[in-house]
Amino acid sequence: MKFFFKYISQYKTFFIVFFAGAVFFSVTFYLYHIPVMAVIYPAVVCVFFSLLVFAVRFNAEKKRHKYLQDLKNCVPELPATLPSRTICENDFAELLHILSANIAELNTQKDAQYADMQDYYSLWVHQVKTPITAMKLMLQNGNSASSARLQADLPRDLRRELHRIEQYVDMALTFIRLESETTDYVIKEYELDSIIKNAVRSFASEFISRHLRLIYNECGKKIVTDTKWFSFVLEQVLSNALKYTSEGSVSIFVENDDTLCIRDTGIGINPEDLPRVFENSYTGRNGRGESHSSGIGLYLCRRICHNLNHSIEVESRPNEGTTVRIGFGRAAERLE
């Protein structure tokens, strides 16, 4: 009954015009003294056929209404065809299909993003357990050891593992911030030497424990960047250099006055892996040999460099080392 009254209300204009026309013709016939039966007979016929058409259309509309209600309550996606009769209804059906396709695409992207985040944090949990376990063993061995040398090295080793945990935490926070719609970039001129020194200082204990040489001379150069985000990039590159270099040195220098180079003498990268080093979660053949390699560090570096208008490239040969180049040539455009 509720649908009936809604249907009547939807076509009230039609009924008003119909009855107004009937009254108009009745009055006209009366004024011209036309016999009443000449008016009643065609009026009854018109009313009969009108009611018949109304009943047919009402029944069809009720079925369409029920179908759409069932569709709204039970079907998560629109079917290939929708019940439509008029040009506007066809237009609305096409619009609904376009919106449904857009929603499906957004859901697919959301599911993929969630899967990537779930995979990353599952790996992150295993990563952060490694330095925590190492710290526990160091404390256990340090408490039971009688060697003065072990006791002296313990604080430095603990600081190294603690720094590794801080790196993993920073990486997780960076991963979250890059996915957010807001940014906190502060783009201006900074002293490059100051940023480099702060980054190198955080890896001092690792350089000592690995017996690696640091080759670095102050360049006296200013760059346009964001110090927090660029420091993250620099620390990730240095972390990779130390991770894959067992002996030799790590060199930091400026090339062509607009490119910072970090070169190591480590195991290098295989030629088939080199084009994919910036892909998310890609570790390559050499990276798979490292239990704490996530394959996300360089991916984040590339995204950050893109946001900072920096360039980043990797040049490497197996067993000869790797050079990472970070260019600042485009950064001044954002400042201007």
Side-chain angles (χ1 to χ4, degrees):
M1 187 60 66
K2 185 178 180 180
F3 176 77
F4 176 79
F5 287 116
K6 283 186 176 181
Y7 186 77
I8 293 294
S9 177
Q10 180 179 342
Y11 291 98
K12 62 183 178 181
T13 303
F14 168 77
F15 290 116
I16 291 173
V17 172
F18 179 83
F19 285 112
V23 171
F24 173 76
F25 279 106
S26 298
V27 172
T28 303
F29 281 23
Y30 173 77
L31 293 176
Y32 281 92
H33 304 290
I34 299 176
V36 176
M37 291 304 298
V39 178
I40 293 177
Y41 178 74
V44 170
V45 173
C46 288
V47 169
F48 173 77
F49 281 106
S50 296
L51 290 175
L52 182 63
V53 172
F54 173 80
V56 172
R57 293 195 61 179
F58 175 80
N59 186 57
E61 194 76 10
K62 188 174 182 180
K63 288 182 178 179
R64 292 171 71 246
H65 175 70
K66 186 177 184 303
Y67 174 77
L68 292 173
Q69 288 294 314
D70 294 339
L71 186 66
K72 181 181 70 175
N73 297 327
C74 303
V75 181
E77 296 182 2
L78 293 177
T81 57
L82 287 172
S84 55
R85 184 172 59 248
T86 65
I87 295 175
C88 288
E89 287 178 343
N90 286 329
D91 292 338
F92 278 119
E94 292 178 5
L95 180 61
L96 286 174
H97 279 294
I98 293 173
L99 293 175
S100 179
N102 290 340
I103 292 172
E105 183 179 355
L106 289 174
N107 286 334
T108 301
Q109 294 175 358
K110 182 180 178 181
D111 292 341
Q113 185 178 9
Y114 177 77
D116 289 341
M117 186 170 292
Q118 191 175 35
D119 291 342
Y120 170 69
Y121 284 113
S122 298
L123 178 61
W124 183 87
V125 170
H126 292 290
Q127 281 183 312
V128 80
K129 283 182 178 180
T130 302
I132 292 174
T133 303
M135 292 174 73
K136 288 180 178 179
L137 291 174
M138 289 175 189
L139 289 171
Q140 182 179 350
N141 294 334
N143 291 332
S144 60
S146 58
S147 171
R149 184 173 180 275
L150 288 176
Q151 293 286 349
D153 291 342
L154 182 60
R156 186 184 64 197
D157 294 338
L158 289 175
R159 282 196 297 269
R160 183 182 68 246
E161 298 302 328
L162 182 60
H163 178 251
R164 185 172 295 176
I165 293 175
E166 290 176 346
Q167 277 191 291
Y168 291 147
V169 172
D170 287 342
M171 190 180 293
L173 291 174
T174 301
F175 187 82
I176 294 173
R177 289 168 181 163
L178 281 177
E179 298 300 328
S180 67
E181 296 181 357
T182 59
T183 61
D184 58 350
Y185 295 107
V186 180
I187 305 297
K188 61 180 184 179
E189 277 193 340
Y190 295 95
E191 292 286 347
L192 179 58
D193 289 319
S194 176
I195 300 175
I196 294 174
K197 288 177 182 178
N198 288 333
V200 169
R201 192 177 297 116
S202 62
F203 290 98
S205 61
E206 195 150 354
F207 272 100
I208 295 172
S209 63
R210 288 176 173 269
H211 305 288
L212 296 176
R213 290 186 301 114
L214 172 66
I215 303 174
Y216 167 64
N217 293 317
E218 293 188 12
C219 58
K221 180 176 177 56
K222 292 184 178 180
I223 61 170
V224 178
T225 188
D226 177 280
T227 181
K228 183 182 72 174
W229 289 93
F230 179 69
S231 294
F232 174 85
V233 174
L234 185 55
E235 288 182 9
Q236 284 298 310
V237 175
L238 284 173
S239 176
N240 285 344
L242 289 167
K243 185 187 303 181
Y244 298 110
T245 303
S246 58
E247 59 181 12
S249 63
V250 175
S251 303
I252 304 175
F253 57 94
V254 172
E255 186 178 74
N256 298 328
D257 199 47
D258 64 351
T259 303
L260 178 66
C261 300
I262 299 95
R263 177 175 297 162
D264 63 63
T265 57
I267 59 176
I269 303 172
N270 293 307
E272 63 271 20
D273 295 327
L274 198 56
R276 301 183 61 187
V277 293
F278 291 111
E279 293 182 11
N280 189 7
S281 300
Y282 186 77
T283 59
R285 186 187 305 173
N286 292 338
R288 286 190 288 269
E290 292 284 336
S291 59
H292 49 273
S293 176
S294 65
I296 199 172
L298 286 178
Y299 163 76
L300 295 176
C301 289
R302 183 185 63 176
R303 289 191 57 180
I304 293 171
C305 284
H306 174 76
N307 293 343
L308 294 175
N309 277 343
H310 298 334
S311 63
I312 182 168
E313 299 175 353
V314 175
E315 178 185 335
S316 183
R317 291 183 181 179
N319 302 318
E320 294 185 14
T322 300
T323 301
V324 178
R325 291 182 171 88
I326 303 173
F328 309 110
R330 297 185 299 146
E333 299 174 4
R334 174 173 291 193
L335 185 66
E336 295 174 357

